[in-house]
């Protein structure tokens, strides 16, 4: 019996997860001791043609899929706070582990969902919400227990970093570079979120929650996107020996107040973020024992995000046998039926 997955959404991320599970079938079986099987796909429009196995049940009704009692794991790859929050809440209340790539939803409701997961003896994985394939969440939550982090600084949006790099190095217009980012599957369906800094804002809020245990007052966070930058600005920065980058940063002061901003910044050659180019993201964590630790890698696109999701699956499966709840339920139903027969 395989580990049954309900996948929510079949855009760039959802379809990449589906494909990765097919292409890594044997390796995943070896790692998890079971096959991963996407049995349900929940999407807005079931009429649209998709390249999926005919055994996958297509539906617009997530709650029925959850109530079917056949799902071991939910992967959520849709956009926006709702209906994602309601769906995930329901899955967790049924004790089903969830993995999400939805940064806006998790930045807003992550605390509630983590609590709900705890109350229902299950888990929610969210590595894919921040910086694509870079394992920054796990580094912060699992590997930096003793170090005290006072400040984080990063390039958290692949699309805007790609646009700035492309405009500077290929002398493309903003419009042309944005179109290339969209064609490569980096940008959000509505790229406003990338360009105006909202996407980086959500990711920074998730990082603040993990690093400082709370988020700053949202109204006090400066958020400036890249839409005001011209090719001249980028070349001017190059002439001065640096680069313009959309930098997200946050630090906590002695009174415990978090100061956060997302803003285009001049970065000189000696800065760890200077060499972060194209779709790459990077996060520098300033800690008291280690000093500055920088993680850098592919920050957007289907495969890096799917990679983060698959890594979350393997981590969660080590924490809890993914099929155990469903098997327990089946056993209970069988025992009840047997008890009835013997009466
Ligand atoms: N649109 C996002 C980005 C996708 O460009 O970084 C990854 O979260």
């Amino acid at each position: 019996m395989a580990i049954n997955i309900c996948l929510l959404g079949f855009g760039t991320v959802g379809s990449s997860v589906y494909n990765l599970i097919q292409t890594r079938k044997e390796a995943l079986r070896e790692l998890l001791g079971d096959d991963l099987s996407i049995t349900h796909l929940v999407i807005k429009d079931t009429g649209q043609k998709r390249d999926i196995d005919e055994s996958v049940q297509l539906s617009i009704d997530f709650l029925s899929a959850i109530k079917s009692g056949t799902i071991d794991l939910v992967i959520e790859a849709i956009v926006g706070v709702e209906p994602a929050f309601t769906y995930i809440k329901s899955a967790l209340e049924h004790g089903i582990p969830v993995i999400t790539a939805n940064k806006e939803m998790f930045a807003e409701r992550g605390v509630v969902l983590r609590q709900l997961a705890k109350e229902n003896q299950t888990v929610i994985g969210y590595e894919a919400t921040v910086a694509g394939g870079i394992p920054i969440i796990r580094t912060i939550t699992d590997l930096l227990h003793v170090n005290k982090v006072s400040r984080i600084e990063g390039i958290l949006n692949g699309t805007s970093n790609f646009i700035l790099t492309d405009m500077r190095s290929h002398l493309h217009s903003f419009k042309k570079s944005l179109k290339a980012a969209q064609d490569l599957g980096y940008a959000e369906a509505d790229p406003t979120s990338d360009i105006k800094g909202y996407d980086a804002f959500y990711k920074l809020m998730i990082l603040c929650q993990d690093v400082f245990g709370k988020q700053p007052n949202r109204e006090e966070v400066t958020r400036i996107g890249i839409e005001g930058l011209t090719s001249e600005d980028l070349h001017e920065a190059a002439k001065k020996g640096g680069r313009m980058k959309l930098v997200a940063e946050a630090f906590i002061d002695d009174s415990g107040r978090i100061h956060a901003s997302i803003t285009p910044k001049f970065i000189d050659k000696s800065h760890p973020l200077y060499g972060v180019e194209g779709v790459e993201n990077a996060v520098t964590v300033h800690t008291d024992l280690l000093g500055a630790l920088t993680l850098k890698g592919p920050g957007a696109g289907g495969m890096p995000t799917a990679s983060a999701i698959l890594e979350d699956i393997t981590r969660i499966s080590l924490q809890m046998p993914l099929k155990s709840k469903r098997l327990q339920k089946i056993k209970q139903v069988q025992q009840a039926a047997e008890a009835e027969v013997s009466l």
Side-chain angles (χ1 to χ4, degrees), residues 101 103 128-129 131-132 156-160 185-188 194 199 203 279 281 299-301 305:
K103 48 246 158 150
T129 58
L156 300 178
N157 183 260
T159 299
S160 49
Y186 302 153
E188 299 300 303
D194 298 296
D199 181 79
K203 292 164 177 170
V279 73
N281 280 190
T305 314

